[in-house]
Each structure stands twice: as structure tokens, then as C-alpha cells.
Amino acid sequence: TVLLSSCSFIAWAIPFRLAFQSEMEMSHFDFVIDLVIDSFFLFDMVLHFRFIAFIQNGKLVTDINKIKRHYKAHKLRLDLIAAVPLDTIARLVLPSRFANFVDSLKLLKLIRLGRQFHTVDRLFRELLDRGFNLAPLRLVEFLSGVVLIAHWAGCGFYAVARWKNRYQECAGKESSGLEISKWASHHAECLWSDTWIERQIRKGKLPTSGGATLQLYIRSFNWALPTLVVVVIGDVVPVSSNETLYAFIWMAIGVTINAAIIGNVANIVSNLETDSADFAGRVDEIKSFMFKHRLSSSLHSRVDDFSRYLWSMHQGSTVEDDFIMSLPYTLQTAVLEHTRAKHIRCCPFFDFCSKEVVKALSLCLKPRVYCKGDIICHYGDMGQEMFFLDHGTVEVISADLSTRFATLHDGSFFGETALFIKQPRASTVCALSFCDILELTKHDFLVELRRRQINLSCMMELFNSIHNSNIRRNKAVNENLEISKNQQTKLSKLVQKADDSMCYNNDDEKAKVFKPYSTFRLCWGICCCALSIYTCVAVPYWVAFAESNSDEYSLIMINVLIDMFFMIDLYLRCYEFTFPANTQYEKSQMAVDFISCFALLDVMSYRLSGMKHFRYLCLLRISRIPSFCDEVSQNLNFRGIRISLAINLLCKQGLFYLMTNHWVACVWFIIHRYLERSEKFTWATTDCPFGGDVGDYKCLAKYDPVIGEHNICNLGSMVECYVRSFHFALTTLSTVGYGDISPVTEIETIWENCVVLTGACFMAGLIGAFGAYLSENDSLGMNAFRLKIQSLKNYMSYRNIPDYIQNEIFFSHHFRWQKSQGLDEHETLQILPEPLQHDISYEVKRRVLHLVPIFKPLPLIVQKRICHALIPQVYPKDSIIYSVGDIGHEILFIVSGVVTVTLPSDLSELDTSGKSNAALNKEKFEAIGKILSAGNHLGESCLNSNSGVRQETVISKTTVELYALSKDDLNGICRFMGSDKEKEFKESFLRRNGNIWHFFDDLPGMVGPDKSDNEEQDLLHFPWSDSAQSFNGSRRPTNAVRRRRLSQARRRSLSYSSRDVFRNMFLERRLQRDDQSSRSVVWDPGSPRGN
């Protein structure tokens, strides 16, 4: 840090002394500072020569001889040149005529400046390790570099003007004093004639004496900085050829610097290179997906909760294993030794395991993150995992959600029965808070134990004892709960009911108006945002442009009402509003709201004049405006008004840009009104928008020599003066700079340079926001879709794909775009916990469950898993969905449209399984018909086939929307059911299609139920389901019964859709067929959708 400060000082001081040394000779203090800095450099050389180690080929080198050789070879020469005071030595040796050469030797010290970039990088890495956000520091570092380069350019600009005329020739005219010759004193005319300084003196920007050193430096810097950031101020312009050439060189450099400003600030604003941008983009895709499908507010709240938690605790990462598994094995075990192995050691089942087994099992642990309210384990599932609770709280509850068996905290474990016994889970485990859980699967556990040939007898003995203890405890809890139902017992007053658990929806505890997505919260957020903006706009305007005290009382009353509103807001946000993360508000935002409420003390300014400054505390609310905007944006998204992350960023950038213009205009006028009241020439007194000379009544203000002050505003009202101030702010901040309003005094010039630098950053920020918006539109918007379609066209044209296939591909992509803007559900939702993914998929695809009768009796959790596994597909009219002999391992469920089925006449196209089942397949389609529509499914024969060869050809007769369920996904769902329930579930696909049962014999390769009446009625009655559906009869209805039912259907046909009418027509054609008594067809009379 000392060396960095020393190098920064010499980088500023040396060019300044070289340019202005004739006006400011080196003092003893400056000489001492230079001597101290040179001593620091020499001491640094000694340290690097003997003591400071370095890294070579990934190893830390500490040997002194190697350090010496390395320093001599790389850094010694340059450090020696920069550290030795060559200018002082040359001044003592060389004659005075070499003074310019001696002074230029000081520039050699700037060599050390190049070494400090590594120092800054090391400093930033240290701050990053301590958790600091480096984006603001990077911006400060870059802007400091821009100011330093502008300082060099300004010093050079002054030096060019100074060296034009010989300083020695004008030295004799200093005795003439301040006597004016033509436009300045004799000495100033001699020194600055035909330079940019002459023009500044003529304009009154500098005194006739030429000005002090500080005045000259400010004017030269006022040329340099606007030139570097490409702002056309027109205040300081070159005059001579040398000055013009010098200005041209720096203009060329300024283009590069301006591009660097835009690039760096734009990256910071749009976060194009940070992990937060990637995570925010993924969350925005999830919100876009939820917005497209109009999902409920509870799901929106859960996603918001989880995204905040995931970023605050895990920096948005859900794939911790990707980092660990990329390390060498020894480092993997070392990392897991400190993070996961403790859970294995604390579990009593693994007390008998060696250290190697513990390390191996810790490698098998998979991290999972669960949202508050997620069900981790479901009652009745066949467990395949054991869980270790790393962080968070869960509760173990009964199947009917009425009994809480236990509440578990950090370091606990549950689900251990799944590793030792193959039986359904005996309870449900729900997350009470956000939970970080480590999962050990039964497969990994058994593989590790078999690999090391471990005797499980001791482990099983200990497990049985703990398992029996848990059974006894749960039994006792149930007995106590039964006793507590009697209001006369003491237990009825002691037992805590499960309804108090956070596992259940407790939104009713708070008023509905206080819910995050309520109308009240939307209106309240809009009011907070609007009043915060009003406060940040009104207070500076009132300070700068207040005309009189006539309206002061009404203004104070308005401020009091606004402060009271925000005090109520502080109370509501702390105690009433249901926040996704209330602790986050208490940590980061509540302090700002609390301090800003002290602005209410401004009402005491009538009695205590010092109290009026409390009003400025309300300006702290400007930091709350982005959070208010985000809150309003989320509410609007929920109501169908989509505001993406990029649009939100662009709106906030535009809002703050306009507010900054307003603030700059107010400060610009405050300088004129309060700080320069006695100055004859200010920017206001020289600004004459209606013509006239300086100091005329047509100017913005007029100086009165009698009282020695200028008035505030010479125009009709303060609004006109505000417009002129805003004009200056807008043109300067937008890097346009018309030059019709320019600074006159030093303080105005300094403020203008601050505004120029701020304007360059703001314009770069706006470019970054626009870049983020265009990038989002290119990656997710219509442009991305067009580019994708164009790429497909180019590829298919290159490969000569037939036209009908191209049409089907384009049709499929257009369908996906209309459904979800091309977002893939599984890829979009993968950062969310699995239960939350299931809930979202269930909301999106629930209509599929209502259309397919097989899914209706399933438990809710099974329905959610099926919805998550379903993949949407679409086919245009007259397209082949699949043909005989194609390979397919998916079951297709028809959601809309009509398809026809054609059976093969040549069985040679089928595999062995298909040939053996050909008769059954033919009998099935004779029973259900060869025209299928919504509610029917296709391709279920893959359940009995390893090869997946299709046994029929399916062609769409209309536009058909399908959902595909792969065989692997179905097996994954069934593994939670157990073998018996899995068999029943899969047999339902083979025995039933839509509302028609078509097969009652034993299925090939399966053990089917007897065909007794009672068992037929219970064929689809799952004992583990929420509901059951039965059917009556096993014989095909006669033609008379069919005609009667057809006539009933025709009477109801007015209320049917065209699809139902089509089915009735198809049924009428079937009546003309012969009655085949060998077939057993069940007709569902209660469903108008029956074939």
C-alpha cells in the first residue's frame, strides 16, 4: 500500500512540476517528500533482492540465491533506474543550459508505475477473499486512471502554450505589474500571446495577469478531461498549430479511452462477466416460463424465496460436486474431510467403519437444497436414499399430516431405513426452513460396502435397535394424541397440533391484503416508489429554486405526511408484510428506512434553525428506489404484465439518469445562488439566452455593483432558470456539450469536470443496459427464434431434407415457441429443488392428468412426478408419428387432435416380442378402434419389449398435441411404488386405453388377476391411491344397447365439441359390424368421450 501510494504521488507530481515549475519552484518540503519516496524504493529493492519469495512453476521459491538471481534477471535494472535520483545528480554535474534535460530525467521514476498493476491485482484478490464486491472498486480504479491520464494531458497542454514564447524574454516585464497593455498585463501578453491562455483571458475566464498556478491548472484540466471522454464543451480550444496538433493526438487517444469507459462500465452495469448475471438470467428465465403459463402466486413466492436463498448462501450454484470432482482425488478427500465426512462419523451406523470407508462414503454424498415447505420424503414411497441434514430444520410427520413425531436440526439424519430394509417409508419429512441436505443412495452405499467386504451384522444390529425405538416412540406419540382428543385430559392442553407447523400454508395468519402479490402490496409498492422519487426530486429543487417562504407551511405539511407514510411502511415491513426473506430486509434495508424517518424532525426548524438540516436525511431513500421498482415489477409480472430483467435494468438506468440530470441542475444553480453570490461573473450572469451583453437584464442574472451581489434569477420565474440549468446538465451528462453554457469560476469548472466524468459513466451504463436488453432479445426473444429457424433452414437445405419433414420441424418449433417461447422446462427449472420442480410441472400439465383416465386415481405425488417427466410434442395434419418397425421407448398420450392406427399386414417387420403379441395388439385395436383422440395413449407395447420396435403405424388426421413419457422415466417413477404397485400401474397401460378396457387375460410375462367379478371391479383400485375407479361388466354390449346409448349421446351432442361428435359418428359406423362375442369390451356409459 505504501509503494502504491508513493507511485500514485509521483505519477501526479512529476508531470505537474515539469509543466508548472517556472511558476512554482520546488520547496524544501517537496524535496523531502522526493527523498522519502526514493528511500522507499531503495528499501523495496533490498527486500526483493534478499527476502521476498516468488512463485515459479507453481512452487514457492524461498532460497536466497535463487531470489537474487531471479531479481537480477527480471527487475533490478528498471528498479535501479527508477530509484536512483538521477535528476538531482545531473543538476549537480551538468551546467544550467541543460536544465530542461535534467528536468526530463524525473520521468524515469514513472517506470515504477507499471509494477503497481500487479500490486492492485493482489490487493483486489485479498479483498475478494474477504467477501468484498469488487465491481465498484474496479470502477474507481478505472476512473482514477482516466483522471490521471487527463492530468497528464492537461499538464502537457499548458506546457505547449508555455513553451511557445521564451519565458526568459518575458522575465524582465514582470516589473510592470498589472498594468494593462491591450488585453492583459505586459508580462502576460508577452508570455501568452497567440495561445489558448490568451483567449481565456479575453473571455474573462482568467485574470489579466494570467492567473495563479491553480487557476491555470484548472483551465488546462478543463480542456483535457472533456477531450478524453469526447465531450464537446468548446470552453477551452487550441489556437496555435502546436496546440492543435497536440489536441489532435489526445483526441485520438480520447476515442480509445471513451471506448474503454463504455466497455468497462457497460460490463459492470449489465454484469456480462459475473456469476450474478448468469444466475439472474437463469432466474429470469424461470419467471418468464411461469409468467407464460400463468402459475399461482404461491409458486412465484417460493421461487423468489429460493432464488434469494440460493444466491445468498451458495452464490447461485447448485452443482457443488462439479467443483469438487474436478480436483485430484487427494484434494477431493481433503475437501470432503472438512465438509461432509463429519456427518458419516456422527451417524452411529457407521461407527464400525474405517477411515477409508468413511472417506469413500463421503464421496458418495450428493448435496441437495430444499425450499421451505418442500416434502423431502413421502409416506408410502419405497425409499432409496438416506439424508443428512447439513443446515436447516425439518419435521417428521404422519401420513395424515396430523401428528408431528420429531423436529430435526443441523447434524441430524433421517431416512436410514431405506438403506437396510426394503419397505415403504413410515412417515413424511417436510422442510421447515431452507435446508442443505446430503443424500446417500442405497446403490452407492451397497457398492462401497461390497467393494470393501464389510460385515453388516453389527451395523444391522444397531439399526434394528434404533428402528425399534423409533417405532415405539411413534406408537407412543399416536397413543398420546388419541388421549389428547379428550378435552378433559391434561394432554389436550399440552399437545401442539401439526397445523402450527411451517410445513403447511400459514398465509391465513396474516391478512390477505399483506400477501406479497396482493393488490394492496402492488399499490403500496407504487406509492413507495413514487414518493421516494418525489422526495429525491423535490428536496434539491426546493433548496436550489425556492422563491419565498410563502408556501413553506404547505411544503412542510406535505413532507410530514410523506414521512408519516414511510414510518407506517417501516412498521408494516417489519411486522405485517409476509416477506420472502424478512431477515434480509432487517440486515440491509431497515436501517436506511429508520434513519430517513428522522427527517420528520424538520418540523422543529421553526424554533431551532439547526434542525432544518434533518430534512436531507430523507435523501437516503434514493437507495431504496431499486428495491421498490423490483417489488412493483414482480407484482406486475404476476398480473400478466411481463417485465424482464433487462427491461427492469433499462428502466432503472433511465430513471436514475433523469434524476442525476435534475440533481446536477440543482447543484449548478446552488453554486450560483449561494457560493458565488458576490462574484461579478458567474455562469448565470454570462448566460444570455435572449441576446444582449454580459451583465444585461436579458441574461439569467445581473450583478448589482451597489450592493456587491447579483440577483438570483433575472427571468420571469424560477422555472425558466431551472430549464437553463437542466439544459446545461443534460447536454453535459449526455456527452454532447453544446458549449452555450460554460463555467466561469474555478468552482464551476471543477463541478463541470465532475459532471463530465459522471456523464461518461452514465452514458456507458445506458449502453450497457441497452446491450443487456438486446442480448436478452437475441437469446430469448423473437430474434433468437428467427435465427434458430434460419439455421434450421440452412442445415436442411444443405442436407436436402424433404419438404414434408421440413414442414413438420418448423411446425414443431413454432408450437414450442407459442407454448413457452422456446424455453425447455427441464433445463429452465434445473436450479430449483425437485419438489418445487414437480409442483411447477404439475401446474403446467395438470390438464393432461384430467384427460387420461389412467392417471386420475394415482396419488398426488405420483401425478406430480409423471407431469415432470412428460415431454410435449406436436404433429401437423397427415404426418407420421411413428411407423411399424421404428424404435421407440416412449408412451404417447394424446391431449388434442385425432390419429389413425394401421396394423402391419406383414409381421416380418416386427421383432420377436411384436410377433408374439400381434394377435393381442389386433384384438386391442378392434376393441378401442383405430381412430384415437384425447385421453388415449399410444406405444405402450414398449413396456413388454426390450428392443422398442413399434408394432403399428400412427398417422395424425388433425393437428395433434402429444405428451411423451419415456420408459426410463416411468421406471424411475415406479421405483418409489414397490414391485406390486409397479406391476399394477404398468398393467393398467396394457389393459386400458382411454375409458375402454380391452384386455382381461393374464398379460404375457406378467401375472394377471383372476377374472372374477369382484377382482375385476378392483382391477384399478390401488390401495395406495387417493381415489379408485371401478367398472361394471366384462362383456361387450349388444347392438341394441349400443343404439340406445348412441341415441342418448345424440341428444347431448349439442353440448359436445366437434371431437365428441366425430366419435359418435365413428360409433355409428361400428354398429354396422358383426357382433363378435369373443371380445370383451367395457363401455363407460358415464363418459361422453367414450369411443
Side-chain angles (χ1 to χ4, degrees), residues 553-598:
Y553 177 76
S554 60
L555 181 63
I556 289 177
M557 291 304 299
I558 293 175
N559 291 334
V560 168
L561 293 176
I562 293 175
D563 293 335
M564 293 296 294
F565 173 86
F566 281 105
M567 292 179 69
I568 296 173
D569 175 72
L570 178 63
Y571 169 78
L572 291 176
R573 293 182 185 276
C574 288
Y575 298 105
E576 298 296 335
F577 286 173
T578 54
F579 266 83
N582 214 18
T583 56
Q584 183 181 5
Y585 172 74
E586 294 176 356
K587 291 180 180 179
S588 60
Q589 300 171 347
M590 188 179 70
V592 174
D593 290 347
F594 180 76
I595 295 174
S596 62
C597 289
F598 281 97

Side-chain angles (χ1 to χ4, degrees), residues 35-324:
L35 184 61
V36 171
I37 292 176
D38 292 338
S39 301
F40 277 138
F41 288 164
L42 290 173
F43 182 68
D44 178 68
M45 289 178 61
V46 174
L47 291 178
H48 279 84
F49 187 73
R50 290 187 58 86
F51 303 107
I52 297 181
F54 64 95
I55 297 177
Q56 187 176 33
N57 297 328
K59 296 181 180 180
L60 183 65
V61 179
T62 58
D63 183 72
I64 295 179
N65 295 324
K66 292 183 179 180
I67 292 174
K68 290 180 180 179
R69 289 195 298 269
H70 181 269
Y71 185 69
K72 287 179 182 179
H74 295 86
K75 301 177 181 179
L76 178 61
R77 297 181 182 87
L78 294 178
D79 286 355
L80 188 63
I81 293 173
V84 176
L86 297 177
D87 58 319
T88 304
I89 298 174
R91 192 181 300 276
L92 297 175
V93 176
L94 298 177
S96 59
R97 66 176 181 271
F98 295 101
N100 293 333
F101 172 74
V102 171
D103 292 337
S104 63
L105 291 177
K106 297 179 181 179
L107 296 174
L108 296 176
K109 296 183 180 295
L110 297 179
I111 295 176
R112 294 283 302 203
L113 189 63
R115 291 267 306 277
Q116 301 312 307
F117 293 107
H118 301 289
T119 304
V120 173
D121 290 338
R122 289 197 301 268
L123 178 62
F124 281 1
R125 284 197 298 268
E126 182 68 22
L127 294 176
L128 182 62
D129 293 338
R130 296 175 181 267
F132 284 86
N133 183 15
L134 295 185
L137 297 178
R138 291 288 184 188
L139 180 61
V140 171
E141 176 199 16
F142 178 75
L143 294 181
S144 300
V146 173
V147 172
L148 179 61
I149 296 174
H151 166 74
W152 293 348
C155 292
F157 193 59
Y158 172 80
V160 171
R162 174 178 167 271
W163 292 338
K164 181 180 184 299
N165 301 313
R166 293 181 178 272
Y167 185 80
Q168 293 79 4
E169 297 177 357
C170 302
K173 299 183 179 182
E174 293 179 356
S175 59
S176 61
L178 301 178
E179 181 181 352
I180 304 300
S181 175
K182 295 181 181 179
W183 45 269
S185 64
H186 292 283
H187 178 262
E189 285 188 5
C190 176
L191 191 61
W192 308 118
S193 61
D194 298 328
T195 64
W196 64 270
I197 297 178
E198 175 189 348
R199 182 166 295 185
Q200 293 294 300
I201 296 174
R202 289 181 179 274
K203 289 182 177 181
K205 304 295 179 68
L206 288 173
T208 55
S209 62
T213 301
L214 182 60
Q215 290 176 307
L216 291 170
Y217 173 74
I218 290 175
R219 300 309 300 175
S220 60
F221 188 84
N222 188 45
W223 167 84
L225 184 62
T227 301
L228 288 178
V229 296
V230 199
V231 180
V232 184
I233 297 298
D235 186 20
V236 181
V237 294
V239 175
S240 65
S241 300
N242 294 334
E243 293 172 358
T244 304
L245 179 61
Y246 182 83
F248 173 77
I249 294 173
W250 278 105
M251 286 178 186
I253 299 174
V255 173
T256 304
I257 293 178
N258 191 52
I261 293 176
I262 293 175
N264 282 269
V265 178
N267 283 341
I268 292 174
V269 170
S270 58
N271 288 325
L272 296 179
E273 298 177 354
T274 61
D275 294 334
S276 61
D278 180 62
F279 177 74
R282 297 176 69 181
V283 173
D284 192 60
E285 287 183 3
I286 295 173
K287 292 183 178 180
S288 177
F289 179 84
M290 298 174 68
F291 167 79
K292 185 68 177 178
H293 293 280
R294 310 285 183 178
L295 301 186
S296 61
S297 60
S298 60
L299 289 177
H300 281 270
S301 299
R302 290 174 63 188
V303 170
D304 292 340
D305 289 358
F306 181 76
S307 60
R308 289 189 182 93
Y309 173 80
L310 190 62
W311 177 251
S312 61
M313 297 300 294
H314 299 274
Q315 294 297 300
S317 175
T318 57
V319 285
E320 181 182 344
D321 282 351
D322 290 351
F323 160 73
I324 295 177

